[in-house]
Amino acid sequence: MERRKFLQCSASLLAVGAGLGLAGCGGSSTADAALKPYANDPVRPENFTNPLLIPGAEGPFGVLNVTDTPLTLNARAATFPILGGRASPFLQYETSYAGKTYQNPIFKIRRGGRFAAALQNGLNEPTIIHWHGLHIPANMDGHPVDSIAPGASYSYDFTVNNRGGTYWYHTHANHLTAKQAYGGLASFFIVEDDDDLRLAKALDLKLGETDLPLVIQDKRFNAAGELVYQPDPGEKMMGYLGDIVLVNLTPNAYLDIAPRIFRFRCLNGSNARIYKLAFMRGKELLAYQVIGTDGGLLDRPYPVKEAFLAPGERLDVLFDASRLRQGDTVFLKSLAFDTMENDGMMAIIGSSNGMSGNNSMDRSHGSTRLDDGLEFNLLKLVVTKPAPAPRPLPAQLSQILPIDIKGAAQRSVQVEMGHMRWLINGESFRMDAFPIDAKRSTTEVWELHNAKQSMPHPMHMHGFQFQVLSRQNSPKQIEALGVHGSGRIVSDLGWKDTVLVWPGETVRLAVDFSHEFAGDQTYVFHCHNLEHEDGDMMVNMRVRT
Ligand code: C2O
Ligand code: CU
Ligand code: CU
């Protein structure tokens, strides 16, 4: 409560400084609204009465097993029933294949397989698809420079050599990513390899039954139950938050389960909200196993009780319900945490000092009813089905070979606010500038440093998976989870393409720029807070031959 309020008021104060009114600040309207229960409020467990949308063999989020046959993906405006079955405007990728139709299909492909698809832009504005986490040539990657006009099409054809794991795809249109992804243009891209098959066999897991992709997104709706995306200038600066939390587009979702083990592939597909994932029965935190990160399986399962998940990141977990009894209820939750956003506000206020004519900080009219960092529920699990025979957890899952950093070039990357913008090494995105210029087949160690007066930034690299080496100067709530050596938390233990860097924190990572593509490759490195990305918190990352 207080935090959001503080932000709103700080923003309004700036606005006042610039000669605007003080609407909403100091008054009680926002505060009262936040205290009052509202329909679909995720804080209230009794609201969780909607069956979770489970990926089937077709339809929305249907699993499409990729073959060599080229697909056509139609990006277009449609409607989708989200709140109480009421149709909301929704953007989706539509395709048909082998007599079935799909909206936002979940692609599933064997490692080494070929993916061919033509994107048709049926929107009334430019768009392009980015395959988040995949190691593919730059011209296949959905760089914003490749955004296509309405009516145009773009052909993708690439081989997927990534490790098995939970990847995803979404729009990457220049300056329109946040709006289009929020509107619906995103889904999963699941790569399967031998390690995955072994795990599925050992635990008798089936995609769509006991192996479930879960995309978590917070959204806002108007009184008619329609999605609303109207970030005000303050929200463009801090990120757009919703107050209704969807899992697989289902608000207040529940799932009937058997007392057995489940694989949940959690994806934070939100524009800006960070979640701290935990399973709770009543007031009891239940341990779960983290088995995978952005770039696939870890070497072994790691037991935890809580883990952060920032926009763009994936966390593959095993939840063992086999000791639960019939009728037991468990909530997948986001626990309370310190969002450290006040620091970001301070950075903004500080950087606006002496600036004239900026009257854009009034966010009082658009603020969410669900405070950032608040504890709330995501998904209710209810044990209603009979128990199968228990299966032991495999001791080993895969192998993580550390990147050899002997002789690696060092690069320091500073993230901070300047001139009312979030900057990467002092830069904002320019199509024709290449602030990160690397060389093919070299290894680099990056020192990612987030300013003290800042906010958490989930920093994302296209084209390559990296490894986190260490965290330093972490805030207490991260330090407390950093039990894995060098300050690393559980999500740092595998291959990554997105890493959350907290204010004041330094994250060292290793990246190997080896690739098998012809010529220079230009990718991007950016913040996956999508308002930040669209605010040009992004730089070109060129890998020269
Ligand atoms: Cu998932 Cu450049 O983004
Ligand atoms: Cu990406
Ligand atoms: Cu950011």
Side-chain angles (χ1 to χ4, degrees), residues 130-133 141-142 144 168-172 177 311-312 314 460-462 497-498 524-528 530 533 538:
H130 166 56
W131 313 94
H132 182 128
D141 181 65
W168 62 304
Y169 66 101
H170 58 82
T171 169
H172 220 287
T177 295
R314 283 84 73 208
H460 170 53
M461 183 185 291
H462 283 214
D497 54 55
T498 307
V524 283
F525 177 72
H526 65 85
C527 182
H528 220 288
L530 295 184
E533 174 183 338
M538 174 156 72

Side-chain angles (χ1 to χ4, degrees), residues 451-466:
K452 224 173 160 45
Q453 278 192 355
S454 181
M455 59 184 282
H457 295 285
M459 301 306 295
H460 170 53
M461 183 185 291
H462 283 214
F464 299 85
Q465 294 280 329
F466 54 79

Side-chain angles (χ1 to χ4, degrees), residues 207-233:
L207 188 64
E209 288 176 28
T210 48
D211 171 352
L212 292 175
L214 301 177
V215 54
I216 307 169
Q217 295 165 310
D218 59 329
K219 312 261 190 208
R220 277 183 222 174
F221 295 83
N222 63 17
E226 298 167 334
L227 275 176
V228 173
Y229 185 71
Q230 278 161 358
D232 62 29

